[in-house]
Structures are given as structure tokens and as C-alpha cells.
Amino acid sequence: MKNERPRRLSTAEERRETVLRTAIGAFAARGYWGTTTTEVAKAAGISQAYVYRLFPSKELLFTAVVEHCFVQVRAALESAAAGAGGGSPEAVLEGMGDAYARLISDNDLMLIQLHAQAAAVSEPAVREAVRQGYARLVEYVRGASGGTDEQVQEFFARGMLCHLIVSMGADEVDAPWTRTLAAGIRHY
């Protein structure tokens, strides 16, 4: 008889994390309106009822995904700020911008952000999750960089422009308009 290890049952929190990770891919691919909890449950290998036990509504599942993505962004910015070693606001913002550009090369994260912004227009809970996520990020960037309001605004504006460039594949088109948009914007 071979020595078998006892099977370890997953906890509700582990299942919640599995569903969250699975939902990121599903929502990234099809957006808030195009994704069903049935699809998420099937991809996670659990029942739809169990998804609803962990996340009582599709709206709560999506807002949890949005919040998770904001946490990832914050972690990347924190790491970059720490690596900047207390430099000038410009140096810290430059490092955070580079970290963000690398982070959104993961299309799922970028797509979740784009879908969340689109859904925020008509879904109040999603709008609030996006507002709160940006509120925390703006205050973090302001504090960590020591930048002025104008520098912080430019940091976020460049991030949005980076989204646009990456999402439409502007780097694949050699034209005056793409060179104008992409000038000085780093993307990976």
C-alpha cells in the first residue's frame, strides 16, 4: 500500500480566491455585461450556487475583481516608489509610471480596468468601486511621490493614454497620429 497524504480540503477563503482569479479572466474577456456567473462557476470548477454563496451577486463579484485589480496596481506602485529611494517627485512618478506600464502589459488587468470604467457609467456599485479605487491610488501617488496636483494629474492622464495606446495596438501602426499619441509614453 502506497503512502498517501490525506486530502486537504480547500477553505471558503481559498475557494473565494479561486473564483476571484477565474472571474478576472472571464470578465476581462467578455466584460461585465457579457460574463455570466455560470461561466465563472464552470471555469472555477464549482457550482453557480457556490459562487453565489461566496459572492451574493454578479455585481459583488465584479466589484471584488475591480478592487483586486486596484490592489495589484497599488502594490506595483509601492514597489516602484520604494525602489526610487526617496528621490524627487519626478523620479518617483517616472518609476511608478514604468511599473504601471509593465503591469498593464498583462491584458487581463488592463481589460478589467477598461471594462470597469465602461460599466461605471450605468452601474452605481461599479462606479463606486472605481471611484474608491482611484481615490486611494491618487492619494497614495500624491503622498509617495510628493508631487504637485498637476504632476499627479499628469501621471494619471499618461496612464489613461497608455491604456488607449495598448488597447488599440497603436504600436503596430506606423503613422503620424500614432507617433503623436505615443511620444514619451512607455509601454511594453
Side-chain angles (χ1 to χ4, degrees):
M1 178 175 199
K2 80 180 190 186
N3 203 355
E4 292 184 31
R5 291 185 353 210
R7 183 170 167 240
R8 184 175 167 266
L9 299 176
S10 64
T11 66
E13 193 54 40
E14 288 170 331
R15 283 287 190 177
R16 185 176 166 79
E17 286 299 315
T18 298
V19 170
L20 195 58
R21 280 192 309 275
T22 302
I24 289 169
F27 284 121
R30 299 178 43 101
Y32 177 71
W33 296 285
T35 303
T36 66
T37 55
T38 302
E39 293 167 335
V40 173
K42 185 176 178 183
I46 61 175
S47 71
Q48 183 182 23
Y50 197 65
V51 169
Y52 279 116
R53 199 159 127 210
L54 298 170
F55 299 94
S57 69
K58 175 181 162 180
E59 180 180 80
L60 288 173
L61 175 57
F62 187 71
T63 57
V65 164
V66 169
E67 290 166 6
H68 177 79
C69 288
F70 274 110
V71 167
Q72 286 182 282
V73 171
R74 167 84 181 246
L77 298 181
E78 286 176 350
S79 179
S88 69
E90 295 81 10
V92 174
L93 290 168
E94 176 74 19
M96 288 194 293
D98 186 63
Y100 184 72
R102 289 181 189 281
L103 188 63
I104 67 165
S105 68
D106 168 3
N107 279 342
D108 282 356
L109 181 91
M110 183 186 66
L111 287 169
I112 291 296
Q113 290 179 320
L114 294 172
H115 287 306
Q117 291 164 7
V121 172
S122 61
E123 299 294 327
V126 176
R127 182 181 313 120
E128 189 56 27
V130 171
R131 282 179 181 165
Q132 291 301 313
Y134 274 104
R136 288 187 300 270
L137 282 182
V138 168
E139 293 311 316
Y140 173 74
V141 168
R142 180 192 330 271
S145 71
T148 65
D149 285 349
E150 291 78 21
Q151 287 172 310
V152 172
Q153 180 188 42
E154 183 178 334
F155 173 80
F156 281 93
R158 287 170 91 47
M160 293 296 176
L161 185 55
C162 194
H163 276 196
L164 178 64
I165 290 166
V166 172
S167 68
M168 69 176 162
D171 59 327
E172 300 165 9
V173 178
D174 184 24
W177 69 270
T178 59
R179 288 189 298 274
T180 298
L181 286 180
I185 301 292
R186 190 173 315 118
H187 56 282
Y188 298 94

